[in-house]
Amino acid sequence: MERRVYTPHSNIRKPWVMVREMAIDIRKGNDLAKRLTIRDIKALYRQSFLGILWAFILPLANTLVWIFLNNSGIVSMGETAIPYPIYVFSGTMIWAIFMESMQAPIEKTTQNKSILAKVNFPREALIVAGIYQGLFNAGVKAVILIVALAIMGYFSGWSLLLFPIGVISLVLAGTAIGLMLTPLGMLYTDISKAIPLVMQFLMFFTPVVYAIPEEGLSGEILRNNPVTPLIMTTRDWLTGMEPEFLNSFIWINLIVLVLLALVMIAYRLAMPILIERMNA
């Protein structure tokens, strides 16, 4: 049986020991993370008649709305390098992957609040479970996207092999941002309720449903948005276009990896305090 000693001193005094223990806990919690992922996926679709088709229906509904607005002239989306229906459908699906990954850490910790105080298990298992579920949801959407584009007669060629890299980077970036908000989300449910609203607003500052303007303030905002390289490069690989933001995509991913490591450490340090406060 493992022997664990709890002291009043913070783990931050011995950072390398803390990082080593965190890596061990991630490995130990991997089986639990897989079980939680399977349980949550089954629960998600158990009482749904359309089941996994919901991954397709909501982005399709958004796509039809934007196509109607563009074709009717109510709003002008500008010229896109690929047919607009493909541009907006792939954009909304890719954005959904990013948004769901961002919500996953808060959802997992909130759903398991009751067992956090009663059962001693590696807390990192909840975050890993969120990443697994994010990858599963992203995989479903990726397959739907590829099939839908093939039905529309659009084949991207060899660049499709790089598309999973873009999907994984979106999941990791969403997880890192979501994990930053998780401590607040555990204390205040307003955070999890506000995220979809805020993300719906932020979608208009990324090239999801319209192309980046050549000039003007909106063009500058979209080009300097750190999410733009992730969205654009993933869509370019999916549709066979030349990636315009490839260098920025690489830099953003390096930053995301560092950020993810830092927020994992912060999460580990904050969890004992949060659990104590939730039980107060």
Side-chain angles (χ1 to χ4, degrees):
M1 179 179 292
E2 181 189 2
R3 182 185 177 191
R4 179 166 297 200
V5 178
Y6 293 93
T7 70
H9 305 298
S10 172
N11 290 334
I12 200 67
R13 291 188 174 188
K14 299 178 180 178
W16 292 114
V17 174
M18 184 185 65
V19 170
R20 183 172 59 84
E21 289 178 349
M22 188 174 73
I24 292 172
D25 281 349
I26 290 174
R27 181 174 55 79
K28 285 181 178 177
N30 192 43
D31 286 340
L32 176 61
K34 290 177 183 174
R35 291 176 184 275
L36 289 173
T37 305
I38 294 170
R39 182 202 66 178
D40 291 344
I41 290 172
K42 285 182 178 178
L44 183 64
Y45 297 115
R46 186 177 297 141
Q47 295 181 332
S48 171
F49 177 73
L50 295 176
I52 212 164
L53 289 177
W54 282 110
F56 169 76
I57 292 172
L58 293 179
L60 179 62
N62 278 330
T63 299
L64 293 176
V65 169
W66 286 107
I67 290 174
F68 169 76
L69 293 174
N70 187 47
N71 291 344
S72 62
I74 297 175
V75 291
S76 177
M77 301 302 174
E79 293 294 326
T80 53
I82 55 178
Y84 184 70
I86 294 174
Y87 187 91
V88 67
F89 181 59
S90 58
T92 51
M93 290 284 272
I94 289 169
W95 181 256
I97 291 172
F98 176 68
M99 193 170 76
E100 288 175 2
S101 301
M102 191 174 159
Q103 292 174 295
I106 297 178
E107 287 179 354
K108 292 292 179 189
T109 48
T110 304
Q111 289 169 359
N112 295 283
K113 263 184 181 179
S114 58
I115 65 170
L116 277 169
K118 299 174 184 174
V119 183
N120 188 14
F121 66 96
R123 312 308 191 201
E124 287 79 5
L126 299 177
I127 306 306
V128 177
I131 294 175
Y132 283 157
Q133 187 157 352
L135 289 173
F136 174 82
N137 293 337
V140 172
K141 287 183 172 60
V143 171
I144 291 173
L145 261 176
I146 293 168
V147 172
L149 263 61
I151 292 173
M152 287 189 278
Y154 207 89
F155 298 97
S156 58
W158 67 268
S159 69
L160 190 60
L161 298 174
L162 300 174
F163 176 58
I165 298 175
V167 171
I168 292 171
S169 71
L170 285 164
V171 172
L172 294 180
T175 302
I177 297 171
L179 197 50
M180 287 173 65
L181 301 172
T182 296
L184 275 178
M186 290 179 68
L187 297 175
Y188 306 104
T189 56
D190 309 71
I191 301 298
S192 57
K193 291 176 182 173
I195 285 179
L197 181 66
V198 174
M199 292 301 288
Q200 190 69 29
F201 177 73
L202 292 179
M203 187 182 79
F204 296 105
F205 292 94
T206 55
V208 174
V209 297
Y210 57 87
I212 301 176
E214 293 293 333
E215 54 188 21
L217 179 62
S218 59
E220 287 299 317
I221 292 174
L222 263 68
R223 285 192 188 85
N224 291 299
N225 184 343
V227 183
T228 293
L230 303 180
I231 299 286
M232 288 292 289
T233 306
T234 304
R235 179 163 47 200
D236 288 341
W237 281 335
L238 173 68
T239 57
M241 302 298 295
E242 189 68 27
E244 180 184 351
F245 292 88
L246 185 57
N247 288 336
S248 299
F249 174 84
I250 294 170
W251 278 109
I252 293 291
N253 273 283
L254 292 175
I255 293 170
V256 163
L257 291 175
V258 174
L259 179 64
L260 187 59
L262 292 176
V263 290
M264 284 287 284
I265 293 171
Y267 170 82
R268 186 178 180 88
L269 292 170
M271 282 307 285
I273 302 170
L274 292 171
I275 292 171
E276 184 180 349
R277 178 161 179 178
M278 285 188 298
N279 292 321

